Structures are given as structure tokens and as C-alpha cells.
Amino acid sequence: MGNGSGMESNLLPEAGVGDESTRQIPSASGLALVVTMEQLKFRRVHFTSISHSGAIYLGDNNFWRGKMQTIAMQSAIPRGDVPRGEGEIKSQTNDFLVPSVSLDPMVMESMAINMEASLRIYTDHHFFSWTQGLLQNLVQHELLICALPKGESDFSLVESYSTAHSEPKAVSGQFIQEASLADMLIKNWEANRFLPVMYDIESSFSGSVLMRELSRIGANYVITHGTHDANARMTSFFLFACKADDANTAQARRIELLVHFLYGAWVRTKISLIQKRGEDGSHSANRDILTRREQEVLQWVYLGKSNIEIGIILGISPLTVKNHVQEILRRLNVQNRTQAVGKAFNLHILTC
């Protein structure tokens, strides 16, 4: 357990040793693992789940059939027959798929790394780099939509993050415009006891412009999840657009476990942005550092395009693009394209 290899743990004592109720075992990630004495009867244990309180529970396959199952988070993911019509929510009891609660040790190690990384996110470009980089190892997606509520059926903020779509802002705008779709997604999530919901785009959203756009970038499924307060009011809502190979109950389970870290990281970038605006009332001076053409080139650099691709898009030669990139590096006083994108986000020359 301590080395994260998934082999039998040498840290577990024989049954009857230690405290009568629980025992804490240190892990490789530095987290305390809470183990009941009844579990100590089993020599082979696996990482299983992280509760909303942050405790990590361990369980044996046999033990999960008994008492431990009642305190584990039970993820019932509806698929197939998704509610349609005028906001009507059908009974989905027979459509639930309950994913395995057992998680591979390497997945748990990756999850711990992502959780730790999320705590260090304070700016938009940090959040973009995390969700489209490290987080993709756990939750593969083509596009992520993040939304903060405003009242019962409106949003105060919607942002989209993607490397597969050239204009994520347009997707955010479409999500806001299709208020009835967003309302249905949220109601279905609430009806599913605030657990992730998975949809087949083709069979569930035939008339949605937003979903057609997600299909255009290769997404076949969407998985929705969010956070709520003690009064069951939504505090955030997330939509992951995924390819068919990536949309499964294991992926939904990982989203369930990570959603509070995702929410915390995203909201932290908004707090940071407000503070920066208080210190510097206007970012127009920063944008003047680069010419309009250089800003266009940098936008495409941020989206991962090569000099040749940027040249085709803008109708200029690759050599001209290269000269623009070199001038951008000089003006921003950075060494490479990645640093240029990061600094441009800090200066608000680029925005997600």
C-alpha cells in the first residue's frame, strides 16, 4: 500500500491488533487512510473511494458486499433512455448502471496527484493547463463547460475549456442561449440524487445546436455533474464532452470523486481575477504590448497550431508567422511559446 504498487499491504496488522474502532495508515501521498478494525481481517485491500468529507476508505471485494457498502458513495449512472420532452423527468430506476467501487491503485495515485495539483491553481491559464493536461490522464474529454448559478435557472458565469475547439467562448455562449437544455440537464442531475449523469448525444439531443457543435469536434457523449450546498441548491455545474471510448462509468466515477477539487480550483481563479482587477483597473495597456496581428498569432499558438497551420489560417507565409512569434517572445520577454502563452494569460492579453 505504501508504495502504491497495488500489492498486498505489509502495513496491515493481524486482526485484533490496535484500536478497537479504527486505525490510520499513512500512504505514499501523505494522506491518512481510515481503516475499520473489521477490515483488518482482510490481508488484501484496495483503494476504493473518497467520501465527500475527504476520508479515503479501503475495502475488500467480499467486504463491500456487506456493511461497508452502506457508507460508500453509490454512483448510479443513468444511460440510454434519457429524459426528453418539455422538461419531463422519467423514472430512470431501471436505467441505472452501478460502476465498480474498486479503483486501480495507479488510478488512485493519479487522482492524488491531480488533487494536489488542483490546490495550486490560482489563474485562468493554470486552470486551462490542468484541465487540458494532467486531468486528461483521468478524465479524457474534448471540451469542458463550467457554470456558476445565478438564481434558480440562470448562470452568472459560464466558461469553456478545450484544445479541440478553436472558439470555446462560442460554446459557452451557446450553453447560455439554450436555457431549456441547461435546465433539463440540471433537473436530471438533481433527480439522480446529485450523482453524475451520462448522455448519448445522438439519441438524446437531436435538436440542440450546442450538442451538434460538440459532435463536430468528435464528442459522442456528455457527462454532467456539479456541486451543491447543505440546502440542496446547486453551487456549480460541469459538462464534460467525451468520445465514445472515453465515456464510461469509470470516467463518471472519477468525475464524482474530483468534482469538489474542480470546483475549488475554478472558483479560485475567479477570486484571483477579481483581486487583480482591483489592483489594476484596466488591462488595455497590457494588450497594447502586442499588435493586433501578434495577438491573433498568439491566440493560435495557444490553441496548439504550428507556424504552417497559422499561416494557412491567417493567409500569410510560415516565415512571416515565425517572425511574429519571435517578436512576441521579445516583447513579452520570454524564452519559448509556452512561456509566452502563460505570460499572456497573466497580463490578460489572452483569456479562456
Side-chain angles (χ1 to χ4, degrees):
M1 182 77 60
N3 58 16
S5 63
M7 302 296 292
E8 287 191 14
S9 172
N10 295 323
L11 295 174
L12 296 181
E14 295 294 334
V17 178
D19 183 77
E20 293 183 358
S21 57
T22 63
R23 176 178 295 274
Q24 288 192 343
I25 298 175
S27 71
S29 61
L31 297 172
L33 308 182
V34 181
V35 186
T36 65
M37 281 306 301
E38 195 163 356
Q39 285 176 279
L40 297 181
K41 298 176 183 177
F42 299 96
R43 297 291 295 171
R44 187 176 183 84
V45 295
H46 302 280
F47 287 106
T48 52
S49 68
I50 298 178
S51 73
H52 291 294
S53 64
I56 298 181
Y57 296 100
L58 301 174
D60 179 88
N61 289 336
N62 294 325
F63 193 65
W64 274 101
R65 298 192 188 103
K67 181 171 68 176
M68 199 66 181
Q69 192 173 17
T70 63
I71 65 171
M73 291 188 295
Q74 299 178 14
S75 298
I77 311 299
R79 303 191 56 163
D81 189 12
V82 178
R84 300 186 191 86
E86 299 177 2
E88 180 183 1
I89 301 177
K90 301 178 184 177
S91 172
Q92 298 174 322
T93 305
N94 295 328
D95 297 323
F96 284 167
L97 292 177
V98 181
S100 170
V101 294
S102 226
L103 292 178
D104 184 271
M106 291 194 67
V107 172
M108 289 302 299
E109 184 71 20
S110 179
M111 193 166 293
I113 292 171
N114 271 277
M115 289 174 178
E116 186 175 3
S118 73
L119 300 177
R120 296 190 174 95
I121 293 172
Y122 293 95
T123 63
D124 280 335
H125 80 275
H126 287 159
F127 187 80
F128 174 85
S129 298
W130 174 55
T131 58
Q132 303 309 302
L134 186 63
L135 186 62
Q136 291 279 354
N137 295 325
L138 278 176
V139 183
Q140 293 84 9
H141 58 278
E142 303 306 299
L143 184 139
L144 167 64
I145 297 177
C146 308
L148 287 178
K150 176 185 175 184
E152 291 295 326
S153 58
D154 197 8
F155 294 98
S156 62
L157 179 64
V158 176
E159 291 183 339
S160 301
Y161 300 85
S162 175
T163 56
H165 198 287
S166 60
E167 294 184 14
K169 282 186 177 180
V171 177
S172 300
Q174 192 60 49
F175 183 83
I176 294 172
Q177 288 178 21
E178 295 193 37
S180 59
L181 171 66
D183 187 56
M184 185 199 76
L185 295 175
I186 293 168
K187 285 182 177 179
N188 289 349
W189 171 65
E190 292 172 342
N192 193 40
R193 297 173 298 166
F194 303 103
L195 295 170
V197 185
M198 184 186 302
Y199 302 88
D200 182 321
I201 290 179
E202 184 177 357
S203 62
S204 305
F205 307 104
S206 57
S208 169
V209 175
L210 171 64
M211 294 302 169
R212 283 202 300 270
E213 184 64 16
L214 296 182
S215 297
R216 189 184 67 79
I217 62 173
N220 310 100
Y221 285 83
V222 295
I223 302 176
T224 61
H225 194 28
T227 59
H228 61 85
D229 62 17
N231 296 314
R233 289 191 296 258
M234 178 185 66
T235 55
S236 67
F237 194 72
F238 301 98
L239 183 150
F240 291 85
C242 311
K243 291 183 176 179
D245 293 341
D246 300 326
N248 50 52
T249 53
Q251 174 121 314
R253 177 62 168 164
R254 295 169 192 173
I255 292 172
E256 180 185 4
L257 296 175
L258 286 168
V259 68
H260 292 283
F261 291 88
L262 181 67
Y263 169 65
W266 184 49
V267 169
R268 203 179 304 116
T269 67
K270 305 307 124 192
I271 296 172
S272 175
L273 183 59
I274 292 171
Q275 290 173 340
K276 285 184 178 180
R277 283 176 176 167
E279 295 167 1
D280 183 4
S282 174
H283 300 134
S284 60
N286 289 335
R287 294 192 182 97
D288 291 341
I289 294 174
L290 302 180
T291 66
R292 178 169 238 171
R293 176 62 89 183
E294 288 166 351
Q295 290 180 38
E296 289 178 334
V297 170
L298 186 57
Q299 180 71 33
W300 290 111
V301 169
Y302 153 61
L303 294 172
K305 302 299 182 182
S306 67
N307 289 350
I308 295 176
E309 291 172 322
I310 295 173
I312 294 172
I313 293 169
L314 299 180
I316 57 180
S317 71
L319 180 59
T320 302
V321 175
K322 181 179 178 181
N323 291 335
H324 281 309
V325 171
Q326 290 177 341
E327 185 62 18
I328 291 169
L329 299 183
R330 186 189 68 79
R331 288 174 181 263
L332 295 179
N333 193 28
V334 293
Q335 301 298 316
N336 54 52
R337 296 158 80 105
T338 303
Q339 291 178 2
V341 170
K343 190 162 186 178
F345 271 109
N346 280 333
L347 296 175
H348 299 281
I349 297 171
L350 289 178
T351 58
C352 290

